[in-house]
Amino acid sequence: MRVLCLFKTNGALQRHLLRVVLIPFLCLNTALALDVAGVKVDERARVANQELVLNGAGIRYAAAGLVRVYVAELYLPQKRTTPAEIAALPGAKRIHLVLLREINANDFSKGLLGGIRANVSQSEQQKHFDSLLRLGGIFGQIPSMKKGETITVDRVPGTGIVIHVNGKRIGEPFSDESFFHTLLQIWVGPNPIDSSLKPVLLGLMPSNDNTQSPTRDRY
């Protein structure tokens, strides 16, 4: 009883016990934060007042895996493992890219459009012809992008596709919400821009980090 009374009345003792209990717990949560190529990746995101979960996050490589270009993150209302399941999933969705090196925005735009041509049928490309032209024009206005800068593509129900560069909205929304899934094919289609990234974004593999390679990023 005397010990119980001491705990109830001694504020300093209570604060000490809270620190002992809570600090290790908070450190554990910090340790569990996802890190991809030095980029902190949030396990949740909020788009149009809807909470999304991280479906997968990995590295886009170029030059046969020797050069890291960006970290790609895919957020969905619920986790899914196939492009068809993702397309059928209603609600908000997000693709978030964090650059790992400086790139020419025009070359980046050409890479995206090339990825669409490699993964989307001619009829689907024709359907989104105006949107593809607009997309090319958006990045054509940006001379270059530096390491650490970001590109975010959000599917917002009732609004369309909204693109942000470094957190700033670029242009007006693309009204056709299905355009999001056309863009997503760049990374998870039958001929993805990086075959090592696709299974990571689909949640089939935890990582495609090849940082142990002695020749990576020499070019």
Side-chain angles (χ1 to χ4, degrees):
M1 289 294 296
R2 296 176 68 178
V3 173
L4 180 61
C5 290
L6 178 63
F7 179 78
K8 288 182 176 179
T9 58
N10 192 327
L13 178 61
Q14 288 178 324
R15 289 191 294 273
H16 173 72
L17 289 175
L18 285 173
R19 285 196 295 269
V20 170
V21 172
L22 290 178
I23 289 177
F25 175 77
L26 293 174
C27 290
L28 177 62
N29 280 347
T30 301
L32 291 176
L34 186 59
D35 181 286
V36 179
V39 174
K40 181 185 175 184
V41 176
D42 294 326
E43 303 221 13
R44 294 183 180 275
R46 182 167 289 274
V47 175
N49 294 319
Q50 182 176 0
E51 187 171 89
L52 307 180
V53 297
L54 179 68
N55 203 68
I59 303 167
R60 152 68 165 133
Y61 289 98
L66 298 178
V67 176
R68 297 182 298 179
V69 184
Y70 53 75
V71 169
E73 309 162 21
L74 175 61
Y75 294 90
L76 303 171
Q78 294 96 34
K79 291 191 175 187
R80 293 292 186 269
T81 58
T82 70
E85 290 174 341
I86 294 172
L89 192 64
K93 298 166 190 178
R94 167 173 287 178
I95 302 166
H96 184 64
L97 309 179
V98 182
L99 299 188
L100 296 175
R101 62 191 301 110
E102 183 173 355
I103 62 172
N104 179 286
N106 188 49
D107 291 341
F108 177 78
S109 174
K110 288 179 179 178
L112 294 184
L113 296 176
I116 290 175
R117 285 193 295 270
N119 290 280
V120 178
S121 67
Q122 287 289 336
S123 61
E124 190 74 7
Q125 291 180 48
Q126 191 62 36
K127 173 184 174 182
H128 296 294
F129 181 77
D130 291 340
S131 295
L132 292 172
L133 283 180
R134 276 190 59 198
L135 182 68
I138 286 174
F139 291 105
Q141 298 173 15
I142 305 171
S144 66
M145 298 190 67
K146 297 178 175 57
K147 180 179 179 179
E149 295 191 319
T150 63
I151 300 168
T152 307
V153 180
D154 288 338
R155 178 184 188 268
V156 181
T159 298
I161 311 306
V162 181
I163 296 179
H164 292 82
V165 175
N166 298 323
K168 179 181 178 180
R169 196 180 84 175
I170 303 298
E172 294 301 313
F174 294 75
S175 59
D176 186 352
E177 295 178 17
S178 69
F179 188 49
F180 181 91
H181 303 292
T182 299
L183 294 177
L184 187 60
Q185 296 307 301
I186 296 168
W187 298 279
V188 301
N191 301 294
I193 197 168
D194 185 333
S195 60
S196 74
L197 177 58
K198 175 179 176 176
V200 179
L201 291 179
L202 292 177
L204 300 173
M205 289 179 57
S207 172
N208 68 330
D209 193 342
N210 68 2
T211 52
Q212 300 304 314
S213 171
T215 56
R216 182 188 55 75
D217 285 349
R218 285 187 181 178
Y219 300 92

